[in-house]
Amino acid sequence: MVTPLEIFSGFSVDDIPAAKAFYGDTLGLSVSDGSMGNLDLELPSGGHVFIYPKPNHEPATFTILNLVVENIDAAVDDLNAKGVQTAIYDDPNLPTDEKGVLRGRAAGQGPDIAWFRDPAGNVLSVLQD
């Protein structure tokens, strides 16, 4: 039986300084330099994510991080004011409004959620449950 002492997730980026600025300054998360040229992203719940450089990085086509927020409109407005585009999908199966928010709560189909990309092209979201 596997008995882990700790569990953490990780993902790649193509530019560590850009990732550090984005996750630390733009998103306001706690980011520190790791010992192997990586970044350590500390989550509000106490967990950690390993962000590592990869020269042949390909952006994740799935959501790598979901940031739960109290007010999705305020979060989207803040991201947009910082130059982060939240209207990244144009898909009739994923009907988002002009801000890029899928209004799932009003439809009784899950949370309100908006997706956006980090500088490496990885997909993230803000959501209000």
Side-chain angles (χ1 to χ4, degrees), residues 8 12-13 28-29 42 50 59 84 96 103 105 111 120:
F8 63 91
S12 70
V13 297
L29 300 173
E42 185 176 347
F50 183 80
V84 178
T96 59
R103 304 283 177 179
R105 293 173 55 201

Side-chain angles (χ1 to χ4, degrees), residues 21-78:
F22 180 78
Y23 288 95
D25 299 335
T26 304
L27 297 183
L29 300 173
S30 178
V31 182
S32 59
D33 294 319
S35 61
M36 299 181 291
N38 64 291
L39 296 174
D40 178 51
L41 174 64
E42 185 176 347
L43 303 176
S45 61
H48 293 262
V49 177
F50 183 80
I51 301 174
Y52 58 95
K54 186 175 178 192
N56 61 345
H57 165 77
E58 291 188 26
T61 58
F62 52 88
T63 307
I64 60 166
L65 290 175
N66 296 286
L67 290 72
V68 179
V69 296
E70 188 173 320
N71 182 316
I72 189 133
D73 289 297
V76 166
D77 290 346
D78 182 59

